[in-house]
Amino acid sequence: MSELRLASEKRLRIFSGRAFPELAEQVASELGIPLTPTSAYDFANGEIFVRFEESVRGSDAFVIQSHANPVNKQIMEQLIMVDALKRASAKRITVVAPFYGYARQDKKHRGREPITARLMADLFKTAGADRLMCVDLHTSQIQGFFNGPVDHLFALPLLANYVGSKVDRSRLTIVSPDSGRVRVAERWSDILGGCPIAFIHKTRDPRIPNESTTGRVVGDVQGQTCVVIDDMIDTAGTITKAVDALFNEGASEVIVAATHAVLSGPAVERLKNSRVSEVVVTDTLPIAEESRFDRLTVLPIAPLLGRAIREVFEDGSVTSLFDGLS
Ligand code: R5P
């Protein structure tokens, strides 16, 4: 029995790219194993080299890389790691991308555009990935882009339980910042006892990147504590415009909850200057010290990733981690 246990523990291996090694360390520690030592460096012209410092033959390999800025480099490094694992006879390779880059390019808005979220899935498959694990994909349909199993994890219970412990639920309204996220707002409402939901009628000009025009609030938010939910805060334009619109409609307090803290360009200044009382995110992406501010709360995602990896490794059930969520 103990020999069998030893053999299975040896097969599970966690690998980290260079984007956010602290997260991979935390996940490995949740699983009670060390990270597999890996060397990685850049050549003078920017090309990436990776080598594992131990045999990986027969391993159930989980390659963790957050697609943080610079996104293209982090993705390329993860692809190279997968290629090296395949050539070194790993038995099964899972790409763990807590934040899946290019997820917003999941359809052609106009002619002659790419579907880059699909291209990403194809690249990982070609490199040798057997499965993908991600947290809160921009849209669930992206799962269908990868020809293999995708473990789509939800940060919703983590975020909603935290927010639920801090607010007066009798005055709570969940707000989707656009019509596409209303279904997620309904799930929040289910977890938080059936509070009302509202949404913001947001429009975007596809020719202008990173800019949205926030329209009107659909729903009654007068005197309410509003929780605006989103998958990501990138430049924070969407969220801060939503906060302004809610206060204009009489909201008494606004909290923001989002899974991925991309925090590009003006995001931190915008959030600091807004009337939002708290911004709650997870650490699927690294958040630099200078991007942290008093009203920012960062919840750890490593326990969820650790539990999901354990379920996959032990042929358990990832779905069971989210019982009740559809
Ligand atoms: C859009 O559909 C996404 O869900 C986010 O609302 C958006 O990408 C956030 O970007 P930004 O913070 O730059 O407005």
Side-chain angles (χ1 to χ4, degrees), residues 104 138-139 177-178 180-181 202 204 209-212 229-241 260 262-264 266-267 270:
R104 284 172 287 183
H138 180 60
T139 51
D178 53 43
R181 215 151 285 283
K202 181 177 96 170
R204 209 182 256 288
N210 294 122
E211 200 154 315
S212 66
I229 52 129
D230 211 346
D231 59 332
M232 70 183 82
I233 304 175
D234 190 351
T235 64
T238 301
I239 281 292
T240 51
K241 282 176 185 166
H260 308 294
V262 184
L263 303 183
S264 308
R270 282 178 173 169

Side-chain angles (χ1 to χ4, degrees), residues 44-122:
N45 68 349
E47 289 174 5
I48 296 167
F49 173 83
V50 172
R51 181 175 187 266
F52 307 115
E53 299 300 343
E54 289 174 3
S55 168
V56 297
R57 186 179 300 280
S59 60
D60 194 354
F62 292 81
V63 185
I64 303 178
Q65 179 83 312
S66 289
H67 299 167
N69 191 3
V71 178
N72 299 331
K73 177 178 178 184
Q74 319 300 11
I75 293 167
M76 191 64 199
E77 183 169 278
Q78 196 172 26
L79 287 164
I80 291 170
M81 292 174 80
V82 171
D83 182 76
L85 281 165
K86 181 180 67 178
R87 293 176 194 284
S89 303
K91 197 167 190 177
R92 179 170 67 170
I93 303 167
T94 301
V95 162
V96 182
F99 171 73
Y100 182 94
Y102 288 101
R104 284 172 287 183
Q105 293 184 36
D106 61 351
K107 61 172 93 63
K108 286 173 70 168
H109 294 275
R110 297 173 302 159
R112 303 189 296 278
E113 289 185 352
I115 302 182
T116 320
R118 166 66 199 247
L119 173 64
M120 286 270 292
D122 288 344

Side-chain angles (χ1 to χ4, degrees), residues 164-179:
S165 70
K166 303 202 77 178
V167 294
D168 171 2
R169 297 191 189 192
S170 67
R171 296 187 315 127
L172 185 63
T173 296
I174 305 296
V175 181
S176 168
D178 53 43
S179 55

